[in-house]
Amino acid sequence: MVSEKKKPVEEVSGWLRVFDDGSVDRRWTGPPEVQFMVKPVAAHDEFVDGVSTKDVIADKSSGLRVRIYLPEQKPENNDTKLPIILHFHGGGFCISQADWYMYYHIYTKLSRSTNAIVISVYQRLAPEHRLPAAIEDGYSALLWLRSLARGEQNEPHLSHADYNRVFLIGDSSGGNIVHHVAAQAGTADLSPLRLAGGIPIHPGFVRAERSKSQLEQPQSTFLTLDMVDKFLGLALPVGSTKDHPITCPIGPEAQPLGNLKLPPFLLCVASKDLLIDTEIEYFEAMKKANKDVELLINEGVSHSFYLNKIAVDMDPETAAETERLIAGIKQFIKNH
């Protein structure tokens, strides 16, 4: 008997298809000129443009992997301790990988510019692994760093790491992970590791009801309303709405911000982002709760603009705003 062909039950604008048997196809089906940005970049021990990369297993029991970006040091700086930037990638909790070119091109640049070690987490993806899986992976990576700081484990690539200056950074939905991992870390003893700061970039903060910016700002390759609705529908715990604390840390279901012990934050937003209204609402709520939070606004650009290598190369405005973003992050890290 011939088995019936599986049928797609959900499709998200070029990025993902879910089938009736539960399988997921994440092959890119959008414009072919964008394809190179979603291709993996192999790790390389040698320094390329001043950065070496290595994939390691951070948690043997779960198989959790991370990618380490190590900036090259001049011989006279060989004793310098380097801050750590723990990175959570975006993709609406449903797509993308730590080794995609779109992250490689910007996080090699950030590692070089800040002279910091970037560690990017290969998070589990929904719908196979619904939330809070990605947040658990982010927190596990932080606990791995704590075990290295305590000398319980060893990773030669991190021999120059300064565990007293660990920063969290995340793009889009990775920005949500920054908030929740930082909040969880505030309840734990991480010593001798110190969480020095959090940097959510264009976090996926939304409410169940559409905001004005969602209705009025232009949609882009990296964020459409279709992506917001469908990715979060596939990622949030079954039966949840966008008012869930993971996507709405300022909503009635979330813990009051005033109750959280958080490190200093640098919230990065783009003026043409569909999500800017809720992001600014988060900034105002953080201020009201007396949290140490700074705001960096990139003008004239949209969601995750800096990951779009084509725009960064071809559009002087996008290139200039990317440099401003990197400079702002560099200054924040220097100050903390």
Side-chain angles (χ1 to χ4, degrees), residues 126 130-133 232-242 244-247:
R130 284 184 178 259
L131 291 165
L232 296 184
L234 292 168
L236 285 166
V238 175
S240 303
T241 72
K242 295 193 197 87
H244 189 283
I246 293 175
T247 41

Side-chain angles (χ1 to χ4, degrees), residues 38-49:
V38 302
K39 285 200 166 161
V41 178
H44 47 84
D45 269 340
E46 70 283 3
F47 289 96
V48 177
D49 295 329

Side-chain angles (χ1 to χ4, degrees), residues 205-219 223-225 228-229 242 273-278:
F205 296 152
V206 290
R207 288 184 179 276
E209 197 176 315
R210 291 248 196 264
S211 66
K212 192 164 178 278
S213 60
Q214 281 181 297
L215 296 169
E216 293 179 2
Q217 293 288 5
Q219 301 186 59
L223 193 67
T224 62
L225 293 176
V228 171
D229 294 344
K242 295 193 197 87
D273 194 334
L274 290 175
L275 309 181
I276 189 169
D277 285 358
T278 341

Side-chain angles (χ1 to χ4, degrees), residues 207 243 245 248-256:
R207 288 184 179 276
D243 286 331
C248 191
I250 47 176
E253 296 177 32
Q255 251 195 302

Side-chain angles (χ1 to χ4, degrees), residues 59 79 99 109 117 158 191-193 204 259 261 265 292 316 325:
D59 185 334
D79 294 332
D99 60 3
K109 185 181 176 73
I117 299 166
L158 299 180
S191 63
L193 181 147
N259 295 357
K261 185 185 168 198
F265 264 48
D292 182 346
L325 176 64

